């Protein structure tokens, strides 16, 4: 097994489920100490248990990424427990909507902005401040989406606006901080095998049938496939990759 992250500390937000959990497990499998963050304790503890059962080291910290103090607590906990913050993956995100924009509740608009945009800004800010203070710097990967810069879809306009913002935050922040030793990129998944890609009332079998016509590859991406892209961008293999977005979407935006 390769161990690209031995003795490095990786922080993953939204790591109690879906893509975030897969990313956390993948970092641990490659030697990283992993700090997992999210609002609910129980799923984070499950992620830690999975990592520890496989012989890895992990720490769960409950945090709402929309709150600056919470995000700072996570970064501080990573440094206190493991000595540095080398990698951060800003994955926490939510989808609210399904209806046309004019029918979207203001609360749903604000929630998505708070978590998907302000949450990424607050996390980036705290992470960069820590990483630029370290001689070894660090690498950050934001999880954007093909719904955003790459593609729009009826009923997902507000979500797409927040994810386009993540793409722009990624590129701008990458330029702002690369000279300080902090390398920032994004992964933009398309439909991926989590709850988020299920339409209301849809079963996994129903989604599989829908994917045959909607997606050139004919299926959703596995969470492990998205994680592999994240680990590449966070690794030294990508040392000269700065401010880019790796699209993992089974060909949907080809
Ligand atoms: N699945 C897809 O098809 C797809 C496609 C493109 C992009 N994405 C993006 O991929 C990321 C992960 O999504 P997923 O599909 O893995 O969905 P998921 O299973 O719902 O994961 C989202 C995670 O984010 C956490 N979270 C939500 N709000 C948070 C907050 N305010 N503070 C901290 N953590 C928070 C959730 O945990 P708590 O509720 O416990 O906080 C949850 O563990 C999201 O950014 C999503 O937009 C997904």
């Amino acid at each position: 097994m390769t161990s690209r992250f031995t003795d490095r500390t990786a922080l993953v937000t939204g790591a109690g489920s879906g893509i975030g959990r897969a990313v956390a497990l993948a970092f641990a499998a490659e030697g990283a100490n992993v700090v997992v963050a999210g609002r609910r304790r129980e799923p984070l503890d499950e992620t830690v248990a999975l990592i520890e059962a496989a012989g890895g080291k992990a720490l769960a910290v409950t945090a709402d990424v929309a709150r600056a103090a919470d995000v700072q607590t996570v970064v501080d906990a990573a440094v206190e427990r493991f000595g540095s913050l080398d990698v951060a993956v800003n994955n926490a995100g939510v989808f609210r909507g399904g209806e046309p924009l004019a029918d979207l509740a203001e609360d749903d608009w604000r929630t998505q902005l708070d978590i998907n945009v302000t949450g990424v800004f607050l996390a980036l800010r705290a992470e960069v401040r820590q990483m630029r203070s370290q001689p070894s710097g660090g690498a950050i990967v934001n999880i954007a989406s093909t719904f955003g810069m790459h593609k729009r879809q009826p009923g997902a306009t507000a979500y797409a606006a927040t994810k386009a913002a993540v793409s722009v935050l990624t590129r701008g922040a990458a330029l702002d901080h690369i000279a300080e030793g902090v390398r920032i990129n994004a992964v933009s998944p398309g439909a991926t095998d989590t709850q988020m890609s299920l339409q209301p009332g849809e079963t996994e079998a129903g989604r599989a049938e829908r994917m045959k016509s909607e997606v050139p590859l004919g299926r959703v991406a596995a969470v492990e496939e998205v994680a592999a892209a994240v680990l590449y961008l966070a690794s030294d293999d990508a040392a000269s990759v700065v401010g880019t977005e790796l699209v993992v979407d089974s060909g949907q935006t080809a």
Side-chain angles (χ1 to χ4, degrees):
M1 182 185 293
T2 54
S3 292
R4 290 177 290 182
F5 299 97
T6 300
D7 294 332
R8 297 189 192 182
T9 303
L11 158 59
V12 185
T13 68
S17 62
I19 293 169
R21 173 174 284 174
V23 167
L25 295 177
F27 275 120
E30 290 209 33
N33 303 315
V34 185
V35 178
V36 297
R39 292 170 301 183
R40 290 166 300 145
R41 183 81 207 186
E42 201 179 315
L44 296 177
D45 285 344
E46 284 169 16
T47 302
V48 169
L50 288 168
I51 289 173
E52 289 178 346
K57 282 192 212 152
L59 171 70
V61 184
T62 51
D64 181 342
V65 294
R67 297 167 58 95
D70 283 19
V71 172
Q72 191 60 51
T73 298
V74 181
V75 170
D76 291 346
V79 175
E80 190 183 321
R81 173 73 172 268
F82 296 120
S84 62
L85 180 66
D86 307 295
V87 170
V89 181
N90 298 319
N91 162 79
V94 292
F95 175 86
R96 297 276 187 278
E99 58 277 88
L101 189 70
D103 301 319
L104 185 73
E106 187 178 338
D107 268 1
D108 286 339
W109 168 260
R110 291 191 186 281
T111 297
Q112 290 178 101
L113 274 180
D114 277 356
I115 297 174
N116 298 357
V117 183
T118 304
V120 171
F121 158 67
L122 292 173
L124 275 172
R125 193 176 63 165
E127 292 154 2
V128 168
R129 287 176 178 175
Q130 173 59 34
M131 289 174 176
R132 69 184 177 186
S133 75
Q134 305 171 169
S136 53
I140 299 175
V141 181
N142 296 322
I143 304 300
S145 172
T146 50
F147 286 3
M149 294 286 270
H150 312 275
K151 179 178 188 286
R152 260 70 50 194
Q153 174 149 317
T157 303
Y159 174 79
T162 67
K163 289 299 187 174
V166 173
S167 297
V168 174
L169 273 170
T170 299
R171 297 178 193 190
L175 293 178
D176 282 344
H177 298 294
I178 188 61
E180 297 176 316
V182 183
R183 202 167 51 75
I184 304 173
N185 289 286
V187 167
S188 277
T192 305
D193 185 14
T194 76
Q195 289 293 316
M196 200 182 278
S197 64
L198 291 170
Q199 292 182 346
E202 189 177 46
T203 61
E204 288 187 8
R207 182 184 62 191
E209 202 50 44
R210 178 167 58 87
M211 288 297 122
K212 286 181 190 166
S213 58
E214 277 187 14
V215 175
L217 185 62
R219 63 167 177 82
V220 289
V223 288
E224 292 80 9
E225 293 170 328
V226 176
V230 172
L231 263 69
Y232 163 67
L233 288 174
S235 77
D236 293 344
D237 294 338
S240 63
V241 182
V242 177
T244 197
E245 258 183 86
L246 189 41
V247 173
V248 182
D249 74 344
S250 310
Q252 262 193 302
T253 58

